[in-house]
Amino acid sequence: MAQATSLLIIDDDDDLREALAEQLELSGEFAVEQVDNGLDGVKKGSEGRAELILLDVDLPDINGREVCRRLRQAGVRAPIVMLTGADGEAETIGGLEAGATDYVTKPFRFAVLLARIRAHLRNVEQSEEAVFRIGPYQFRPAQKSLTDENDKRIRLTDKETSILKYLLRARGEAVAREELLAEVWGYNAGVTTHTLETHIYRLRQKIEPGKGSARLLITDGGGYRLQA
């Protein structure tokens, strides 16, 4: 099973916040953290662990737009979806100018919000700007490449890129061979774990700093994991 995507909810409405967190976690896709005020939201969001932030506009200490602005100033690049009870053009423009990715007006249907969350997360993964750190490398999935500290570029195949993307989602946890095989190749009866092992071997030849050693792409139990 894939590692849950990290979400942060910043909202002072306890009932709404807790209900949202419960529904999101029940989907099996998300791990949710919650805060009930803007200042704690800035602090928690600036840690950079959240892959998407749900942010209420009307917070008890500082306005949600100011929270959004501070998060962007702190370098947070995750999508920020603002939640508001006001349905007006000026309200929406204000949030977008502060750096919000999207605006959702209360009351909303959970299914609609969930669809928008998934869409924003897909956009991040597919973005030309998406960059992830793997050991000494910068990994750019859209460009199918790794760049080392000397700006040397290592080109990856489609499958190698997909393997790294899936292992990254696991956040250092081991992923079983069968799961990785199914995710990258699909449920194709003609593909065996030997195919995966061959791709892992070739990928290690490209990324491991020492010959004959595996310090980044580790065999762990019945699967593989990326070493942070």
Side-chain angles (χ1 to χ4, degrees):
M1 184 176 181
Q3 182 75 13
T5 300
S6 176
L7 263 60
L8 172 63
I9 303 176
I10 308 171
D11 197 319
D12 65 322
D13 184 332
D14 294 341
D15 291 338
L16 175 62
R17 187 185 68 250
E18 290 170 6
L20 270 179
E22 182 179 3
Q23 287 180 291
L24 287 165
E25 290 184 333
L26 279 173
S27 73
E29 298 174 51
F30 307 103
V32 182
E33 291 189 286
Q34 307 176 42
V35 296
D36 61 5
N37 65 82
L39 291 174
D40 286 343
V42 172
K43 181 179 179 181
K44 180 66 71 175
S46 298
E47 293 173 358
R49 291 198 296 266
E51 296 173 68
L52 184 140
I53 297 171
L54 296 177
L55 171 60
D56 186 34
V57 170
D58 299 313
L59 295 168
D61 47 0
I62 56 175
N63 186 278
R65 288 185 293 277
E66 178 61 21
V67 173
C68 183
R69 188 174 293 107
R70 293 187 191 185
L71 288 171
R72 293 307 189 203
Q73 288 172 349
V76 174
R77 300 179 68 180
I80 298 176
V81 178
M82 300 199 74
L83 309 175
T84 178
D87 185 12
E89 185 176 290
E91 182 83 10
T92 302
I93 290 171
L96 296 175
E97 287 181 344
T101 309
D102 198 0
Y103 232 82
V104 176
T105 304
K106 302 174 184 178
F108 50 80
R109 291 175 57 201
F110 176 74
V112 173
L113 178 63
L114 181 59
R116 291 169 93 160
I117 288 171
R118 288 170 173 161
H120 289 308
L121 291 170
R122 283 196 302 271
N123 288 341
V124 169
E125 264 195 9
Q126 296 164 7
S127 169
E128 289 291 333
E129 298 180 356
V131 181
F132 305 93
R133 173 64 66 175
I134 299 177
Y137 304 106
Q138 289 188 326
F139 174 42
R140 292 175 169 83
Q143 297 176 21
K144 299 174 189 172
S145 71
L146 293 161
T147 306
D148 70 12
E149 294 164 324
N150 297 315
D151 289 329
K152 179 184 176 182
R153 188 175 182 186
I154 300 169
R155 296 189 179 277
L156 304 169
T157 66
D158 288 341
K159 296 302 186 202
E160 289 167 350
T161 301
S162 296
I163 288 168
L164 288 180
K165 282 172 62 177
Y166 199 74
L167 291 177
L168 269 173
R169 290 289 303 277
R171 288 177 170 61
E173 298 292 327
V175 177
R177 287 181 176 87
E178 292 75 14
E179 179 183 341
L180 194 53
L181 193 67
E183 178 65 24
V184 175
W185 277 269
Y187 290 94
N188 186 334
V191 179
T192 68
T193 56
H194 177 71
T195 301
L196 171 62
E197 289 159 4
T198 300
H199 280 77
I200 293 290
Y201 173 79
R202 291 174 180 167
L203 188 52
R204 280 177 171 152
Q205 294 294 105
K206 293 182 178 182
I207 70 172
E208 291 293 354
K211 295 295 182 182
S213 66
R215 289 187 285 170
L216 295 176
L217 183 46
I218 311 295
T219 301
D220 189 343
Y224 302 99
R225 64 179 172 85
L226 279 176
Q227 180 67 36

